[in-house]
Amino acid sequence: MQQEQFEYDTVRFKSVGLRYGNGPEILQDISLTLTPGSFHFLTGPSGAGKTSLLSLLYLARRPSRGSVELFGQDVTSAPRHRLPAIRRRLGVVFQDFRLLDHLSALDNVALPLRVAGASEAEIQRHVPELLSWVGLASHMQAKPSVLSGGQKQRVAIARAVITRPDLLVADEPTGNVDDRTAIRLMHLFREMNRLGTTIVIATHNEQLVRQMRHPRLHLEGGRLSILQPEEG
Amino acid sequence: MMAGIGLKGLFRSDLPVARDSSGGFLPWLIALMVFFAAMATTGSVGLTDMIARWNRDVAGTLTVQIPPVIGTTAKAKEETAARVERAVRLLQSLPNVVSASEIPADKLAALLEPWLGSRELIDELPTPRLIDVTLNPQARPSLEDLQTRLKDAVEGATIDDHQVWMSKLISLAEGLQKLAWGVIALVSFTTTTTVIYATRTALAVHRPHIEVLHFVGATDSYIARQFASRGLALGLLGGLGGLLGAVPTLWAIVRLSEGLQGGLIPAITIAPLTWALLGSFPVIAGLIAMITAHITVRRQLSGML
């Protein structure tokens, strides 16, 4: 089982470039390999291309050049019908949360399970437990419109981790929560990572990066460098 | 409890499609379309029956006119009767003639009375005698041959084939029937086109939600099902509305047509099978809306990543 899990890299970028329309390249010649169970921070100044790099990871767009492999599958030109199965192995925390406003916190978190065909019994067993864990036990039926920024962020994180994804991609996941909740959420990510999930977290929080001591993918001017903890 | 969850699961939607206004007009439009379709279908079925009846009549009957011997003397009357007798015998001897009988003078006089006046006057007039002929519709004899043989037997005998004037009536009815089919085709086209545009609008409105569903691994089919369910519900609702409008209208037409009994145009009746067909219209409307919405969503989503 373990052997099978490590037959491929979770992420492999080869000379990836990305441009929007006819504009300049936002990402240039990115080559990157993330092995299963690795934990990386993605850092860089605003406008460096962090969100663009993440969008390639969660299959919101395809590269303009080069190739992207996820879980050993080339997704650069993979047919659309193959993408949902790959996306189900991903968990994504968006900076703007992207919760569905008409659904309750519980239904938002249950969404990836429902899409994957989980039974209602299974949903009722797992979702309330996770929402309680992130401190939203009393807000399960609340709609996002009545939740604070931090609460929405926790719902978004719960939605991303409910399926125990193989790759978790998070864009500023602790940006709207207090320090105590941030530490608690980072423990959650660390625990998931310990269980085998590959994690990439984009953040501006230098203190967090230093404390956690994981390698960082640093983007600057569309180019990527990999910095080990002692270098950071 | 389980049944409750099951039903809830069946009708629940991840997209707020039931709340947006893009499809709000659809039930009204579908109701109107189903109303027109019900009228056109009933008309078409009625015309089919009428044309079949007329065709049967045309194929199965003709009238032979025997000119009378001019004069009011007994001899003239006898000669006229002899002419009729010869013609009837000839007709009865033909293999494809089922029956041939003279229309009684009394009946003829009664038919002419409104136009020509008193019975005494009609008796004095040299009105032609008529023979009602029933033919075998499966093996209709050649009218040309029949005409020649009749003229050989009775000088001046002519055939009044109903087919000539009836065929014009049948052509008119067939034209109306085609028009009814045209209305049904137009109704189907309008419904389909409207559902396509309403679905495209809804897709544009819900694009951010659809992206989220894609990111969590939803297939196009999963997303399309949500729009298709909405299409089915709106189609059924509109279809039922249209049928509720059509049923009393058709019933009123049937009642009004009862006054036509005995004429060339028969009273309109709607067979149980036709009522059953009309009853299926809301389901058909729902299915059209559902399938159209599903296909439209699948096509639109194929342009997204």
Side-chain angles (χ1 to χ4, degrees), chain B residues 245-257:
Chain B
V247 167
T249 310
L250 288 170
W251 181 81
I253 291 171
V254 169
R255 292 303 300 266
L256 286 171
S257 79

Side-chain angles (χ1 to χ4, degrees), chain B residues 12 14 40 47 73 103 126 150 172 180 200 202 205 216-217 255 305:
Chain B
R12 63 171 300 284
D14 300 322
L47 283 168
T73 60
I103 297 175
L150 268 170
L172 175 70
R200 283 185 183 171
V205 169
V216 298
R255 292 303 300 266
L305 184 59

Side-chain angles (χ1 to χ4, degrees), chain A residues 64-115:
Chain A
S64 309
R65 63 184 174 87
S67 72
V68 174
E69 278 181 28
L70 292 179
F71 315 113
Q73 299 179 64
D74 188 347
V75 294
T76 319
S77 54
R80 289 186 72 254
H81 68 84
R82 280 182 47 206
L83 301 183
I86 299 171
R87 284 181 174 132
R88 285 179 197 178
R89 300 177 68 178
L90 295 168
V92 188
V93 182
F94 297 97
Q95 196 170 11
D96 56 356
F97 320 128
R98 300 209 191 175
L99 300 176
L100 300 188
D101 286 340
H102 61 286
L103 296 182
S104 67
L106 189 140
D107 283 333
N108 264 290
V109 176
L111 206 54
L113 293 175
R114 288 208 165 101
V115 161

